[in-house]
Amino acid sequence: MESRTFILKHKLPIARVEKYWKGLEEGKVYGTVCKICGAKYYPPQVDCSKCYNSEVEWVEISGEGTIECFTQLHSFPQGFEFVGRPYTIAIAKFGDFKVMGWYEGDIPKVGEKVKIKTGKDETGVWKVYFEPWGELNEHRL
Ligand SMILES: [Zn+2]
């Protein structure tokens, strides 16, 4: 035997950020804002790593986002083999929040405008998706 596959599973505690996961099912993407120092978190955190307080406000991230960077995956990381075709993961800025999501077009452009939305993938997991925002992009060109 020359090699052997190891399968790693990460189980992350989500009880304190359950609102985030519930939000995805309702089509909403939430971040948190520290009520003490104003730090903004996405993915949401309920403990501020800047001022160490645990008083946060949940805010919905919506509106127009701007693609900051992206990568297209042609070989699938473990657990994502189901996709079966190259897919694009992007980071888009919505105000002060930077959000990572699945881009729904072909190849995005840096600076392109996107809408944020949620959806279930083929395995039943809720995810964040970016939809190209047609009208605004036409104005940009
Ligand atoms: Zn804080």
Side-chain angles (χ1 to χ4, degrees):
M1 187 168 63
E2 290 182 2
S3 67
R4 176 176 174 174
T5 303
F6 280 96
I7 308 288
L8 296 176
K9 278 201 173 182
H10 300 274
K11 295 214 172 197
L12 307 172
I14 61 166
R16 296 181 71 208
V17 289
E18 196 178 356
K19 186 177 173 75
Y20 173 74
W21 298 98
K22 287 244 164 40
L24 293 181
E25 293 177 22
E26 295 163 359
K28 294 176 178 173
V29 180
Y30 286 107
T32 52
V33 181
C34 174
K35 286 183 178 173
I36 309 300
C37 76
K40 295 187 165 96
Y41 294 100
Y42 183 88
Q45 287 183 204
V46 291
D47 298 307
C48 181
S49 49
K50 294 207 171 101
C51 75
Y52 306 111
N53 265 284
S54 298
E55 289 183 47
V56 297
E57 183 184 350
W58 288 81
V59 293
E60 188 182 346
I61 299 169
S62 61
E64 175 188 308
T66 307
I67 297 284
E68 292 217 316
C69 60
F70 64 89
T71 186
Q72 193 173 51
L73 288 90
H74 291 263
S75 62
F76 312 113
Q78 184 188 332
F80 291 86
E81 299 87 351
F82 68 91
V83 183
R85 57 178 163 70
Y87 62 94
T88 304
I89 301 294
I91 293 178
K93 197 164 189 224
F94 295 80
D96 292 332
F97 289 102
K98 286 188 182 188
V99 180
M100 187 168 80
W102 291 56
Y103 180 76
E104 286 194 317
D106 187 19
I107 304 280
K109 291 189 182 109
V110 170
E112 180 178 336
K113 306 295 182 198
V114 290
K115 275 190 234 183
I116 195 167
K117 62 183 206 178
T118 69
K120 230 191 231 184
D121 73 15
E122 289 89 332
T123 64
V125 173
W126 285 87
K127 291 195 168 100
V128 173
Y129 293 93
F130 298 137
E131 181 183 352
W133 198 325
E135 286 174 49
L136 292 170
N137 286 323
E138 280 164 29
H139 287 301
R140 195 168 53 87
L141 300 170

